[in-house]
Amino acid sequence: MTAQTANGGTIALTYREAVRAALREALEADPRVFLMGEDVGRYGGCYAVSTGLLAEFGPERIRDTPLSESSFVGAGIGAALGGMRPIVEIMTVNFSLLAIDQIVNNAATIRHMSGGQFSIPLVIRMATGGGRQLAAQHSHSLEGWYAHIPGIRVVTPATLEDARGMLASALACPDPVLIFENALLYNDKGEIPADAGAVDIDRAAIRRPGRDVSLITYGGSLGKTLAAAESLAGQGVDAEVVDLRTLRPLDDATILGSVRRTRRAVIVDEGWRSVGIAAEIMARIMEQAFYDLDAPVARVCSEEVPIPYAKHLEDAALPQTDKIIRAVEHLMGNHG
Amino acid sequence: MPSLGSDMEAGTLVEWLVKPGDTVARGDIVAVVETQKGAIEIETFQAGVVDRLVVEPGTEVPVGTVIAHIRGEGEPAAPAPETPTPASEPVAPKAAKPRKPAEPTAPAAASRARVSPAARQRARDLGVDLETLTGTGADGAVTLVDVERAGAAAPAPVPAPAAKPTGDAAAAMRRAIAAAMARSKREIPHYYLATTIDLTRALDWLETENRRRPVAERLLYGALLIKAAALALKEVPELNGFWRDDAFVPGTGIHVGAAIALRRGGLVAPAIRDTDTRELGDVMAAFRDLVQRARTGRLRASELSDPTVTVTSLGENGVETVFPVIYPPQVAIVGFGSVVERPWSVDGTIESRRVISASLAADHRASDGHRGALYLRALDRLLQTPETLA
Amino acid sequence: MTEDEIRAAVLAALTGVAPDIEDETVDPATPFRDQFDFDSMDLLNFAIALHRSLGVEIPEIDYPKVASLEGCLGYLSGKLQDA
């Protein structure tokens, strides 16, 4: 199931192809939409997401930019202010730091500072996450930082359906939306309905229902978490897996609903442990579900080091399935 | 020490009926315990070999106290005590170490007992003494499951456990009833429905039936009412079960608790298990046995904790209608008044018929009046065809 | 069977149903229901006990006749003579 072949109402494709299909659909649907970023045109995208789009839509709409994140994100903000619907691709979240002034000081604030007179319907896509031996400057997971900022929305598609469907909803949003694509997911393959389209960017999703413990995760850690849940099922522990999907605003109802049912929670987050999105979720659980808890809330995060280059060290630094299993086993005590 | 109802806080071990080394099967009677409801036989819910008797005869201990260890055979470490804790490796390096060099099997012996918030909350609701529990959760913490096991039948929140004059059994039972009934009236939004049922046909049938039966197998109309009450519950199952954790939990099976007044005051309502599927003669035999043992001998622990609904009758004392109080955490109670002769219209003519008032008090959180009304209607319908209740 | 024997059997049946009754405190004329708070179940158990010890079958319709100690002794001696 490699090629895009129709098969009983579903199509087989990769996460990369799902994002490309979403881009193509957006470009076809609305003449105000254009894609801008480093190497998105002639080179076909650093992760080959936009391959072929330049030939299809031309250089006006698939724009290669200089290596200057601050300027092209700023240009995107200006275009959005001027009525366009720009999609800006930043190669990795590490490089987005060069544009953080534009994102945090301009994109996130203008609606509020103008008393609602201006809005910034801008979409910024970027790759995030480690696991590819690209070393510290290309491997970090800083989406939790952006989730700290009011005025922007942060989404993390972890499935093919979300990779296919979140872009359209992000473009429909009147405010800036940051889409974090974990680079390890680009080669994921699977089938989605041939007519798959827009999906909501408001709610978390329960990817696996369970009774004993809630595993709350997002993005690149979803697969590892689901694998841990399957393994735990063999030990008689029925884990529920919650995919956050949107890191800002967090869907408290789904998160707390799950924790109240299972009474135990483990947050799995590829960000660093200290002051991360996992800490925020734990705090919300304490605030709103303390008396429902039957064990301390736990988290599995990246170790507090710049992500190493060496494979064994990188593997050890990131959340892995066996770490998730151990954390759950500890929480369950002798209940099994 | 098992809980024998929502009103028991402690029990005194009177006598052991097993000794260490004995093999016991599930359901075997292992001990006699003096409670607020009198002397009760305690069954074991675990098969195995009696390892150790922990509580000495004559000792009063709170509900939830381990009274004996039973070694299960080939079973995975059972709920009960003496679980060797080291199973999970101490991953967190910061985990608090026991401060006092207590027994190494008690990793939870930090300054404060480890109890999960959910478990602590539930223990308060159930009146379970946390100090008596062995935790099976992370780092030996007491969890919800531990508390629920201890409080099997959800004992009521009891006022401060002031020193009890253990001698006065009647006063103790009074206090137990007070706790349960106060909780009921405090927490349960009762609604009351009543109807008058023509019992003539049922009583005629019963008289004919009893003429055939030897004296030891004779039926009282009370048994007929209990059987009908149970069968009607099949049609309105939301009256059969418990209100727990803000939700209705249906009973597994219909086990009618028959309210039995004791001669020197007080009452108990032990269960006739699976009332709906038993033959009437069998219901009667069970009912008679329960009354006899309630008034002269001993009831068993499970009989007191099993009921999913209660039926009470005050008709023999000339009461016309009963407005009963639900026994928490049950959600309904059915009451019957006296059988009285009344002029009754049958097909347009006035006849003298024997009628009875049937009333229902139900928990409005679990059901609504409409369903309650359907229940009484079903009860009436069933009592018009007594032969189907046999 | 002598009257004393019948009396002993009746008292035994009575205390079997209600162990807290003491023989000498039973008032012969007062119905058990009023004296000991007997209900129909107690009366039935009483009748069953008498059937076991004396072999006398008391039909339901006769229950009112055996509702007090006095009535009971009269009824039973009649029955046992008939037999």
Side-chain angles (χ1 to χ4, degrees), chain B residues 327-365:
Chain B
Y327 185 57
Q330 292 170 30
V331 297
I333 180 167
V334 182
F336 292 99
S338 301
V339 177
V340 288
E341 287 205 40
R342 288 280 183 272
W344 199 255
S345 171
V346 180
D347 297 332
T349 55
I350 303 294
E351 291 183 13
S352 176
R353 306 287 281 188
R354 289 179 286 174
V355 302
I356 192 168
S357 159
S359 51
L360 168 75
D363 186 336
H364 215 325
R365 297 173 299 182

Side-chain angles (χ1 to χ4, degrees), chain B residues 206-207 210-211 213-221 261-264 284 287-288 291-292 295-297 316-317, chain C residues 15-21 33 36-42 44-45 47-48 51-52 56-60 63:
Chain B
L206 208 62
E207 278 149 27
N210 275 344
R211 273 198 290 277
R213 287 175 178 258
V215 62
E217 289 172 24
R218 275 184 205 153
L219 305 169
L220 294 177
Y221 76 85
L262 303 183
R263 228 176 292 287
R264 283 158 307 170
M284 178 63 203
F287 184 30
R288 197 163 72 80
V291 174
Q292 181 80 349
R295 290 180 180 166
T296 65
E316 296 205 21
N317 303 308
Chain C
T15 51
V17 173
D20 38 342
I21 296 175
R33 181 184 291 278
F36 307 119
D37 204 11
F38 264 36
D39 61 13
S40 54
M41 188 67 84
D42 295 321
L44 175 60
N45 281 324
I48 292 170
H51 179 243
R52 281 210 189 106
V56 178
E57 181 102 13
I58 306 170
E60 237 182 352
Y63 282 1

Side-chain angles (χ1 to χ4, degrees), chain B residues 10 15 18 62 80 111 119 123 236 265 286 346 373:
Chain B
E15 183 187 359
V18 293
S111 54
V236 190
V346 180

Side-chain angles (χ1 to χ4, degrees), chain A residues 175-220:
Chain A
D175 290 313
V177 179
L178 273 53
I179 303 179
F180 286 89
E181 296 161 11
N182 189 293
L184 270 190
L185 298 176
Y186 283 126
N187 289 328
D188 276 9
K189 287 176 194 165
E191 291 190 14
I192 62 172
D195 59 353
V199 295
D200 78 90
I201 49 172
D202 303 296
R203 305 300 307 267
I206 291 172
R207 298 295 185 199
R208 181 190 195 282
R211 286 172 294 120
D212 297 331
V213 59
S214 296
L215 307 182
I216 300 165
T217 189
Y218 68 91

